[in-house]
Amino acid sequence: MSTPLAVIGQRLPKIDAWSKVTGTARYADDLPLAGALCGRLLRSPHAHARILGIDTTAAASLPGVAAVITGRDLPIPYGILPISQDEHGLAPDKARFVGDPVAAVAASDDATAERALALIRVDYEPLPAYLTVEGTLGDVAEPIHALRRPGNIHKAVALAFGDVSAGLAAADLVQSDHFFYAGNTHAALELHAVVAVSDPAGHLTLWSSTQTPHYVQRALARALDLPASRIRVVAPALGGGFGGKTETLPHEVAAAKLALITGRPVKIRLTREEVFYSHRGRHPMHIALTTGVKRDGTITAMHLSTVLDGGAYASYGVASMYYSGALQTVTYRVPAYRFDGARVYTNKPPCGPKRGHGTPQPRFALEVQLDKIAETLAMDPAELRLRNLVNEHSVTVNHLRITSCGLRGCIERVVEASGFSNKHRRLPAGRGVGLACSSYLCGAGLPIYWNGLPHSTVHVHADRTGTVIVQCGATDIGQGSDSMLAYVTAEVLGLDPADVRLVTADTALAAVDLGSYSSRVTFMAGNAAMQAAERLRDLVLGAVAATTGLDHAHLALRGGRVVRTDHAGDVMPWAEAVAVTEARGTPASASGTYAPPPLAGPYKGAGVGPSPAYSYSACVVEVDVDDETGQVRPAEVWLAHDGGRALNPTLFEGQIEGGVYMGLGEALMEEQRFRGALHTGPSLLDYKTPMSVDMPVIHPIIVERIDPEGPFGAKEVGQGPLLPVPPALANAVYDAVGVRIDEVPITPDKVLRALRQRARGGAPRFGPKGHPPITYPVVVSVDPPAGAPGT
């Protein structure tokens, strides 16, 4: 690595993968293919119904229709998690939500395909629909899935680390609260689109707006009963993902099957309404939280219970449930901790991962509850948090390893920048400030399917012109991962990033990377790229040393040249050094890999939560609240994020701003609402997201706590900044008008109801009064590791 850093830390332009800007097509929906068929899906009008029969005769005989398929053509189930293989490309036996695909057609054009759908006759037997958490518990007449547990409970767990009862008994204050976090969706600007092409040899190529080409390849191999070697998946440039494109969806399977049957390209593009029903967004979550503290604010114990409304299929749901409890201990020291979690099936669109995956909901609960505790103890909210921070290079009570932690710096920076201490409880009525903190993963410690293989592999090759090609399966979804690969490689090789060409997100041309999820790409693909570039650097410098007789140890790469570190001048240009390497019979190529160290604890479920590092955030939100209308307007937001070294400060700040935008949307307006089983507004006209006029002034603050294991000390910044925004806003609302809104979104009607209740002498609060009546399993007690808080 050159010293000082020449590329890393600079405000450089964003770089696109070379493989994605060749030709005119950029997105999956843009691909011009001669003779392509238009595919469409027939979706169930029923929330829960048995499929007695499907007559496709009239549709198949319509001129222009090339193929019609049903669930009988796709009998093999699949799913993103190995333990939850409960989906089909088309429902073969039951429809489980309004919008569940039951048939598909491929026709000469969209109009013909739509006419064909109208000709398909499906004989349904309506079944009882379970649309709420409360309604799906206990004995049910017709379970949504055949399960080994009562009712429609998908998964339930109860874990205890340390003596929680003793910890609560030792507390001077025990605070118990109930919260609800409404479900919401990703609202990516780009719709889901896919193009599938098969050749006469039976090889299948899929261009899809996906965040995980490798996982789509694996799922298609299973669902279509094809060898993975015959399937190529390419992710073109994506117009947003946020977690909604991290698993294989029915339209991808259907397009692939139709292409195999017809031998022609098949293109399926979902409408906005279909995207809303495909969903995979934020789980609605009921939360019960009890925390014990001493008079000085020190946490003694915590008990968290969650119930997730999972919708009709498993998706990432088991992981989502575990995530709702696993990460509560990596922000503050918790000496005794119990987590009860459950996910239930309902006859609504399936929920899955959205930015922050399972963690914004419990984070909202914890940070609002800490604000309540601080008020009861007459403590400054920032001081309460500072008193409980996790220590660097420590281990949590539930066996999670902490490396670097810059949360203290984050809190201090936002408190100073916002003037929080001079504003809190001191602003005029209707104006308030709120503080919240958070932490998040830098990639999951284990892959989705357990194995001993690298999580990311990068190949780096230099040709005689000096051009460097980087091949990696990582998918850029707008977060800048392609740029990161170029910056890291250029830094190690002493080149300009413009001299680095990228081939990414293609299972045939690029090395395996597991995908863009869990904020893993910078840490994992970045480390793999760094290792590959270092190996190439050493290879080239070794060849130069052998050719010139110079000491390898005194050679370095800087400014596109091989130079002597003893200041004795340049040796040769980079391109010449590559030629020297080839002349010695060695290709100028190298590979690097990354897999996290073993991190999982000694209990079932410990695979969710471990990460090679964690990022940290602190946020202050200042709001204006109109006590006559209940309208909440964020005026200013300060958010400091510890993402390790900022590889590109401009992109780093952009991710902070995006997290604030999405966090404010969830806090104030976004919600998947249903009238019965029907979505009340599956469009961007009815589903409200913030517009530019709704956005406050945002102050992104970079806190660089260098991580010892990250590439050049970097961590994540993609998902973490969203988490503290909703609770900071809720705390600001309380500071402004003195009412607690213990659920999101915080809409005007809820603020007004809380104000009216306070005026009548009731509790100044709006939120759930209890927890769903679920029976959690018998608690599994796990001994905390040595060195954990309380040991």
Side-chain angles (χ1 to χ4, degrees):
M1 149 178 128
S2 56
T3 304
L5 299 179
V7 175
I8 299 302
Q10 305 302 310
R11 294 182 179 272
L12 298 171
K14 192 170 180 290
I15 295 174
D16 287 315
W18 185 42
S19 56
K20 294 180 185 175
V21 295
T22 303
T24 59
R26 181 169 174 81
Y27 299 93
D29 193 34
D30 296 333
L31 288 168
L33 293 169
L37 296 168
C38 297
R40 297 289 289 144
L41 301 177
L42 181 67
R43 297 178 180 274
S44 168
H46 300 283
H48 198 195
R50 188 169 286 109
I51 300 171
L52 302 179
I54 303 180
D55 184 357
T56 63
T57 306
S61 61
L62 184 70
V65 171
V68 183
I69 59 174
T70 68
R72 291 182 179 179
D73 300 293
L74 294 166
I76 303 174
Y78 67 92
I80 187 64
L81 300 182
I83 61 172
S84 301
Q85 305 284 298
D86 66 355
E87 293 198 59
H88 291 80
L90 299 169
D93 54 353
K94 284 207 305 185
R96 292 176 169 89
F97 69 99
V98 171
D100 208 355
V102 298
V105 302
S108 56
D109 53 62
D110 276 330
T112 302
E114 286 290 345
R115 287 197 297 273
L117 291 184
L119 294 174
I120 297 174
R121 296 291 176 259
V122 184
D123 185 9
Y124 291 105
E125 177 192 348
L127 300 169
Y130 307 99
L131 303 174
T132 65
V133 167
E134 292 79 6
T136 201
L137 298 173
D139 294 329
V140 296
E142 174 75 26
I144 297 172
H145 292 276
L147 301 169
R148 291 177 294 177
R149 54 186 65 87
N152 287 310
I153 298 175
H154 174 201
K155 179 69 175 179
V157 67
L159 296 166
F161 306 89
D163 194 334
V164 176
S165 297
L168 293 176
D172 296 315
L173 170 66
V174 176
Q175 179 76 34
S176 295
D177 295 286
H178 297 282
F179 300 91
F180 177 70
Y181 202 107
N184 50 68
T185 200
H186 315 87
L189 290 181
E190 181 199 22
L191 302 171
H192 294 291
V194 62
V195 174
V197 179
S198 69
D199 64 23
H203 293 89
L204 177 71
T205 299
L206 203 81
W207 288 269
S208 184
S209 52
T210 178
Q211 297 173 232
T212 55
H214 175 66
Y215 287 143
V216 172
Q217 182 190 43
R218 284 178 55 86
L220 288 177
R222 175 181 169 87
L224 301 173
D225 195 23
L226 285 176
S229 60
R230 295 189 180 183
I231 301 173
R232 176 190 180 193
V233 178
V234 183
L238 262 67
F242 313 115
K245 300 171 182 176
T246 57
E247 60 187 294
T248 305
L249 297 173
H251 68 281
E252 293 168 312
V253 181
K257 185 66 175 180
L258 288 166
L260 290 169
I261 291 173
T262 63
R264 295 171 62 183
V266 175
K267 179 176 182 177
I268 296 180
R269 175 183 54 199
L270 301 191
T271 65
R272 179 64 65 180
E273 182 176 6
E274 287 180 299
V275 172
F276 270 95
Y277 279 103
S278 296
H279 193 37
R280 317 295 160 135
R282 185 87 70 217
H283 285 75
M285 191 180 297
H286 300 264
I287 305 157
L289 180 62
T290 297
T291 303
V293 298
K294 305 296 282 186
R295 288 187 181 86
D296 66 357
T298 303
I299 295 172
T300 63
M302 185 181 296
H303 182 183
L304 171 71
S305 300
T306 65
V307 180
L308 288 68
D309 181 344
Y313 291 103
S315 183
Y316 283 83
V318 172
S320 307
M321 183 208 66
Y322 276 110
Y323 273 130
S324 73
L327 299 189
Q328 293 296 85
T329 60
V330 300
T331 314
Y332 308 112
R333 295 188 307 278
V334 180
Y337 178 57
R338 175 173 168 178
F339 165 57
D340 305 325
R343 184 182 190 264
V344 301
Y345 286 117
T346 56
N347 291 118
K348 291 183 292 189
C351 299
K354 186 190 173 189
R355 200 173 191 171
H357 191 191
T359 65
Q361 304 97 314
R363 176 59 51 183
F364 174 80
L366 176 57
E367 294 296 320
V368 171
Q369 186 174 84
L370 288 178
D371 209 58
K372 297 179 182 182
I373 290 171
E375 182 176 48
T376 302
L377 297 177
M379 285 187 68
D380 179 271
E383 177 59 30
L384 174 66
R385 289 165 171 84
L386 289 168
R387 190 159 295 185
N388 287 286
L389 295 184
V390 294
N391 296 318
E392 288 192 310
H393 308 294
S394 64
V395 62
T396 70
V397 71
N398 58 333
H399 294 263
L400 301 180
R401 185 198 68 163
I402 309 295
T403 53
S404 61
C405 174
L407 185 52
R408 180 175 297 275
C410 291
I411 295 173
E412 292 171 348
R413 292 284 299 277
V414 294
V415 166
E416 179 183 6
S418 65
F420 178 82
S421 300
N422 296 323
K423 294 177 179 178
H424 187 247
R425 303 292 190 264
R426 299 181 183 181
L427 293 174
R431 186 91 171 184
V433 291
L435 169 71
C437 301
S438 67
S439 53
Y440 197 64
L441 306 161
C442 295
L446 291 171
I448 286 175
Y449 61 100
W450 287 32
N451 59 73
L453 300 172
H455 293 211
S456 188
T457 299
V458 173
H459 300 317
V460 179
H461 169 74
D463 67 22
R464 297 175 193 180
T465 68
T467 299
V468 173
I469 305 293
V470 176
Q471 297 168 286
C472 179
T475 306
D476 196 316
I477 58 175
Q479 85 281 34
S481 64
D482 284 348
S483 301
M484 178 275 299
L485 290 169
Y487 301 154
V488 168
T489 304
E491 181 66 53
V492 173
L493 298 179
L495 300 173
D496 188 307
D499 294 324
V500 178
R501 299 292 184 91
L502 302 164
V503 178
T504 60
D506 186 326
T507 61
L509 301 182
V512 170
D513 178 87
L514 298 184
S516 290
Y517 65 95
S518 295
S519 281
R520 56 173 300 282
V521 179
T522 291
F523 206 97
M524 299 191 180
N527 266 318
M530 190 171 176
Q531 184 185 81
E534 288 172 343
R535 288 173 174 174
L536 178 59
R537 176 196 62 194
D538 293 344
L539 176 68
V540 171
L541 292 182
V544 171
T547 301
T548 62
L550 297 172
D551 186 347
H552 184 172
H554 293 158
L555 298 178
L557 297 173
R558 293 177 190 159
R561 302 184 67 83
V562 179
V563 301
R564 295 179 59 167
T565 57
D566 57 5
H567 307 291
D570 291 354
V571 179
M572 64 180 69
W574 162 254
E576 185 178 336
V578 173
V580 166
T581 305
E582 288 194 22
R584 295 181 63 82
T586 303
S589 301
S591 298
T593 65
Y594 179 81
L599 297 170
Y603 60 93
K604 187 175 182 180
V608 176
S611 178
Y614 298 92
S615 68
Y616 292 89
S617 301
C619 178
V620 170
V621 176
E622 187 166 341
V623 300
D624 288 308
V625 183
D626 188 324
D627 61 3
E628 292 186 355
T629 65
Q631 189 76 33
V632 178
R633 295 187 181 277
E636 215 159 348
V637 176
W638 297 262
L639 196 146
H641 184 74
D642 162 33
R645 189 186 299 277
L647 300 182
N648 183 329
T650 299
L651 298 184
F652 194 108
E653 291 169 348
Q655 288 297 300
I656 292 177
E657 291 168 354
V660 170
Y661 167 85
M662 191 166 281
L664 290 176
E666 294 194 10
L668 291 171
M669 60 190 73
E670 294 190 44
E671 182 177 4
Q672 284 269 95
R673 291 186 174 185
F674 295 88
R675 183 178 296 111
L678 296 176
H679 201 295
T680 58
S683 73
L684 293 184
L685 177 65
D686 298 295
Y687 181 89
K688 299 300 183 183
T689 59
M691 297 186 293
S692 58
V693 295
D694 301 313
M695 290 301 293
V697 176
I698 301 173
H699 304 277
I701 301 170
I702 298 173
V703 175
E704 292 187 303
R705 192 68 173 177
I706 304 303
D707 191 83
E709 298 181 19
F712 294 102
K715 298 194 289 188
E716 79 86 37
V717 66
Q719 301 188 58
L722 179 151
L723 274 66
V725 177
L729 185 137
N731 292 337
V733 169
Y734 180 75
D735 189 44
V737 291
V739 295
R740 292 283 182 190
I741 312 300
D742 287 343
E743 67 174 61
V744 294
I746 300 173
T747 52
D749 60 305
K750 296 173 185 176
V751 175
L752 289 177
R753 288 175 66 178
L755 288 169
R756 290 166 185 160
Q757 186 163 301
R758 183 185 64 179
R760 294 193 295 265
R765 173 185 181 271
F766 182 92
K769 295 181 173 59
H771 201 57
I774 188 167
T775 301
Y776 292 101
V778 175
V779 177
V780 175
S781 295
V782 181
D783 291 333
T791 61

